[in-house]
Amino acid sequence: MKEKKIALADRSTKIIPIQWDATYFFERAVRSMDRYHYDKALKYFRRAAEYEPENPVNHCNMAGILSEMGNYEESNRILDSIVNELDPEMTECHFYMANNYANMEMYEAAEDSLVRYLEEDAEGQFLEEAEEMMELLHYELERPTKLAFIKAREGFFEHDRARAMLEDGKFAEAVRLLESIVEKNGEFLAARNNLALAYYYMGMFDKAMATIKQVLELESGNLHALCNLAIFYQHAGDKEELAPLVELLCKTVPFHQEHVFKLATTMGILGEHGEAYRHFMRLLKDGALKSDPCLFHYAAVAACNMGRYDESRRLWQQVKKLDPESHVPGYYLEQLERMENGQHAAPASYHYHLPFEEQFRLWEKSTESLPDHMKRDPLVRSSFFWALRHGDRHTKLQVIQALGMIADNEVKDALREFIIEPQEDDYLKRIAIFVLRSIGVHESLHAILEGEETVIEHSRMPSRLPIWEDKWQSVLEAALARMNKHYDLVQQHDLLTLWIEFLSRVYPDVPKFGKVEGWAAALEYLTAKMHRREISYHEVSQRYGVSIATVSKCAKRIDEICGIKEKMRMIFPALADHRE
């Protein structure tokens, strides 16, 4: 017995110590969760967090268990402390908080957390779940979610905004946004395609061509890019490059509705009207777009160009039913009879608006301002910007006046660029400067006039006079204030030019101006005469509140110096001397 005790004493006792650390308690917590023992799991996660208080994962796990147990408020308190104190990069905590708030039916708070998650999380781990929650919140709050940006889809949301800008005719804004998207994500081909179109709409043809070729370098079969390239080749008159591309497009039969529509409109622009008609009719037979007046118009134009006048009449009559307020179907139905008799060419444009010349004709008939539909229509705006770069002198003059009536930031940017173009006509640039001032651009303007770079300050008129007196400005303002609704911008600019010419010729012996209204009335009178408008001394004297003698005296003085009547005789030799 004694020997046995000794033998037992000789054995070395092996005790395995337990490692009490965060990992141990984490593993115990996970095993408890697997068995749905949430109380034990919570206890173990708390112990793990005690061992590693700076580790946000342990705290996040604890918040997750609390949420499973229905303790949403405590869960959110922990999640909030994680993103505000431990690790702001754990953006998924905002998604967990959104879930907790939704379970508490606190939908406004849920929306705030969800939006923060989507705007901060770059990985998009819970993107699909977040989109499902957005639908729930939309339903509960009865309004769209207040979301401006999804970081995990960086560029996609902004791209939608840029497309909306293009549809609204805000081309310069769209260009700035699309350029930033492409700079961040060079493989975002849809953004590159739309950037090319934006350049094209603004008349920046070289940039448009370079951008579309970049798309095709990245994806040679991109249908949108191929269609855009074909249109650009046609614009450039490059028949050699265009022919094989048209042949390829004629063989293309796209499946997706968006691609069918793109190809159809492209073939119409390229003059392949049979192909365009075939694709447009595919879309109409599909039924999804059967209430779209634009689509019926496009099909009507294609049919008309094919000589199928009965079909085009039927289609335009359908447009009239779908869009009774539009001028477009009525205009083309009126022209159709002349087309059938060969007296009028078939429409060259597939755009759903009146021809450019017809737009101007309607505007000129409206007397006072540009019709609202012309201001809003992005295709009309595109026509204006294109004509400002590529139109003839007369068209550019009309466009500058029209842009002055639109008067938004897009217009201001376009006119600022116009006045620094060396090849543009100086008179047109001076009109553009006048328009910029009249629509509220008060900062210094950089222009190229008479071949030299010039800075035009707001406090000075664009003249060579060494000074500009307040009294002279008062005369000008008195005239322009009364002319505003009765004279177009060109005529107002010509009054300004006449006043500067008079002052420049008499300087420094400028007469002492008593009643500024007398000189202002004289300027209006002479400007009206230069533009062959009906006017009398009596009429202007009444409107300016001065005597006929005062207006006559001032007008004769300006005429003596500037030779207005002599210039008019040279321009209109058959015009007899005017007698009051």
Side-chain angles (χ1 to χ4, degrees):
M1 188 69 178
K2 186 178 180 180
E3 290 176 2
K4 196 170 184 179
K5 287 181 180 178
I6 292 171
L8 287 170
D10 287 339
R11 288 181 186 172
S12 58
T13 304
K14 292 183 179 180
I15 298 173
I16 301 173
I18 297 174
Q19 188 70 31
W20 299 92
D21 59 11
T23 303
Y24 169 78
F25 288 110
F26 173 79
E27 290 172 353
R28 296 295 296 268
V30 171
R31 284 202 295 271
S32 296
M33 282 180 62
D34 290 341
R35 297 183 181 117
Y36 302 102
H37 297 161
Y38 292 131
D39 288 341
K40 286 186 177 181
L42 178 61
K43 181 180 71 172
Y44 290 132
F45 276 134
R46 285 191 193 279
R47 294 296 304 276
E50 288 170 6
Y51 273 95
E52 291 182 356
E54 301 302 315
N55 186 341
V57 175
N58 293 325
H59 295 272
C60 194
N61 289 329
M62 190 162 53
I65 286 293
L66 287 166
S67 181
E68 289 288 340
M69 296 172 70
N71 193 345
Y72 304 118
E73 289 185 17
E74 178 66 12
S75 175
N76 273 359
R77 187 192 64 75
I78 294 170
L79 292 167
D80 187 68
S81 69
I82 292 171
V83 291
N84 287 315
E85 298 170 19
L86 294 177
D87 187 2
E89 298 299 315
M90 284 192 68
T91 52
E92 63 267 34
C93 290
H94 295 296
F95 176 71
Y96 301 143
M97 290 169 73
N99 268 297
N100 286 337
Y101 282 128
N103 283 318
M104 290 189 283
E105 298 185 1
M106 298 172 63
Y107 299 116
E108 294 281 356
E111 179 188 50
D112 291 340
S113 293
L114 185 65
V115 166
R116 190 165 177 187
Y117 167 71
L118 289 169
E119 291 182 346
E120 293 184 10
D121 184 67
E123 301 301 322
Q125 180 183 356
F126 299 107
L127 191 56
E128 289 185 13
E129 294 89 341
E131 288 176 340
E132 288 178 8
M133 192 184 297
M134 282 173 66
E135 290 182 17
L136 167 68
L137 295 176
H138 187 172
Y139 173 78
E140 294 291 348
L141 296 171
E142 298 182 347
R143 60 168 172 75
T145 307
K146 299 172 184 175
L147 181 64
F149 172 72
I150 299 178
K151 191 166 186 178
R153 289 182 175 169
E154 193 163 11
F156 286 85
F157 199 82
E158 295 96 319
H159 181 241
D160 286 341
R161 281 176 52 215
R163 286 177 62 180
M165 288 174 185
L166 286 177
E167 289 171 3
D168 290 340
K170 298 176 181 176
F171 305 121
E173 290 181 51
V175 162
R176 285 192 286 269
L177 184 53
L178 289 165
E179 284 177 340
S180 69
I181 294 170
V182 168
E183 187 177 348
K184 292 175 187 174
N185 185 356
E187 294 185 359
F188 196 164
L189 301 187
R192 284 188 184 272
N193 265 322
N194 280 315
L195 179 58
L197 285 176
Y199 285 142
Y200 182 74
Y201 292 149
M202 293 176 70
M204 303 165 73
F205 181 71
D206 291 340
K207 280 191 171 184
M209 182 67 86
T211 304
I212 214 66
K213 286 185 175 179
Q214 289 168 356
V215 176
L216 291 167
E217 285 172 9
L218 293 166
E219 186 182 300
S220 60
N222 187 288
L223 182 61
H224 280 271
L226 290 169
C227 289
N228 291 338
L229 182 62
I231 292 168
F232 296 169
Y233 279 145
Q234 185 190 56
H235 167 82
D238 193 340
K239 294 180 181 178
E240 187 176 342
E241 294 284 357
L242 179 60
L245 186 51
V246 171
E247 186 178 349
L248 172 65
L249 292 174
C250 284
K251 295 176 183 176
T252 303
V253 183
F255 174 76
H256 293 293
Q257 189 179 81
E258 179 189 354
H259 289 164
V260 177
F261 185 79
K262 178 69 177 180
L263 184 58
T265 53
T266 300
M267 299 313 284
I269 293 167
L270 296 175
E272 298 290 333
H273 304 294
E275 292 294 320
Y277 180 79
R278 181 166 65 90
H279 291 303
F280 284 132
M281 294 311 292
R282 275 184 64 196
L283 291 170
L284 287 173
K285 287 174 184 176
D286 182 54
L289 299 173
K290 62 183 179 182
S291 61
D292 185 355
C294 297
L295 185 56
F296 281 92
H297 169 72
Y298 302 146
V301 173
C304 194
N305 276 280
M306 296 167 67
R308 299 175 66 167
Y309 298 120
D310 289 341
E311 175 69 0
S312 60
R313 181 179 286 104
R314 182 186 69 79
L315 291 164
W316 271 316
Q317 285 170 345
Q318 184 64 26
V319 176
K320 201 168 185 177
K321 289 179 184 177
L322 293 170
D323 192 5
E325 300 298 318
S326 173
H327 296 283
V328 174
Y331 170 80
Y332 283 107
L333 284 168
E334 285 178 9
Q335 300 298 316
L336 191 56
E337 187 175 344
R338 297 175 62 194
M339 295 179 205
E340 289 174 313
N341 295 330
Q343 297 172 340
H344 193 281
S349 171
Y350 275 74
H351 294 316
Y352 186 55
H353 63 60
L354 297 176
F356 191 66
E357 300 77 10
E358 185 69 10
Q359 297 278 354
F360 271 118
R361 190 184 67 80
L362 287 178
W363 169 39
E364 287 166 353
K365 285 174 65 177
S366 70
T367 65
E368 286 196 6
S369 63
L370 200 67
D372 286 341
H373 76 275
M374 290 181 72
K375 294 179 183 179
R376 294 192 304 267
D377 191 331
L379 294 172
V380 173
R381 290 168 65 94
S382 171
S383 298
F384 285 162
F385 291 130
W386 184 269
L388 186 62
R389 287 179 174 271
H390 305 290
D392 58 28
R393 189 175 186 274
H394 176 68
T395 300
K396 287 180 180 180
L397 188 58
Q398 288 182 303
V399 165
I400 291 169
Q401 292 186 79
L403 293 178
M405 294 181 185
I406 297 173
D408 58 16
N409 290 332
E410 198 88 8
V411 163
K412 293 171 185 176
D413 288 345
L415 293 178
R416 284 191 191 100
E417 290 181 17
F418 181 79
I419 63 177
I420 60 173
E421 289 291 340
Q423 74 275 13
E424 293 294 352
D425 181 272
D426 272 7
Y427 177 73
L428 294 179
K429 285 192 272 191
R430 291 181 188 279
I431 295 283
I433 292 167
F434 180 76
V435 168
L436 283 166
R437 293 299 187 218
S438 70
I439 61 179
V441 177
H442 300 309
E443 75 269 15
S444 300
L445 291 172
H446 294 264
I448 296 177
L449 295 171
E450 298 177 10
E452 296 181 4
E453 292 186 12
T454 306
V455 178
I456 302 167
E457 304 293 344
H458 177 56
S459 58
R460 284 183 57 84
M461 290 297 104
S463 71
R464 296 186 180 279
L465 287 161
I467 59 171
W468 184 261
E469 299 283 357
D470 290 342
K471 199 81 168 180
W472 307 346
Q473 183 68 23
S474 297
V475 171
L476 186 60
E477 288 174 358
L480 293 176
R482 289 169 175 82
M483 294 174 69
N484 186 35
K485 293 184 178 180
H486 306 286
Y487 294 78
D488 64 29
L489 289 167
V490 171
Q491 292 162 350
Q492 293 177 51
H493 172 267
D494 287 350
L495 179 140
L496 166 65
T497 304
L498 174 60
W499 186 227
I500 290 172
E501 181 185 356
F502 170 71
L503 294 171
S504 300
R505 290 192 179 194
V506 297
Y507 186 84
D509 299 320
V510 179
K512 291 182 179 180
F513 300 113
K515 197 170 178 63
V516 297
E517 284 79 10
W519 291 94
L523 285 171
E524 180 182 333
Y525 175 83
L526 291 170
T527 302
K529 288 297 180 185
M530 286 191 294
H531 286 272
R532 304 182 70 182
R533 292 183 55 154
E534 291 286 337
I535 197 167
S536 68
Y537 285 141
H538 175 73
E539 179 186 338
V540 289
S541 68
Q542 288 284 314
R543 286 202 292 110
Y544 285 81
V546 293
S547 68
I548 292 175
T550 300
V551 180
S552 175
K553 178 183 173 184
C554 294
K556 285 175 182 175
R557 179 62 176 145
I558 296 171
D559 186 37
E560 285 173 8
I561 299 300
C562 300
I564 304 301
K565 289 183 180 178
E566 188 58 35
K567 289 176 183 175
M568 289 177 65
R569 285 193 190 95
M570 293 174 64
I571 299 170
F572 309 116
L575 194 65
D577 285 348
H578 175 73
R579 295 284 185 268
E580 279 293 328

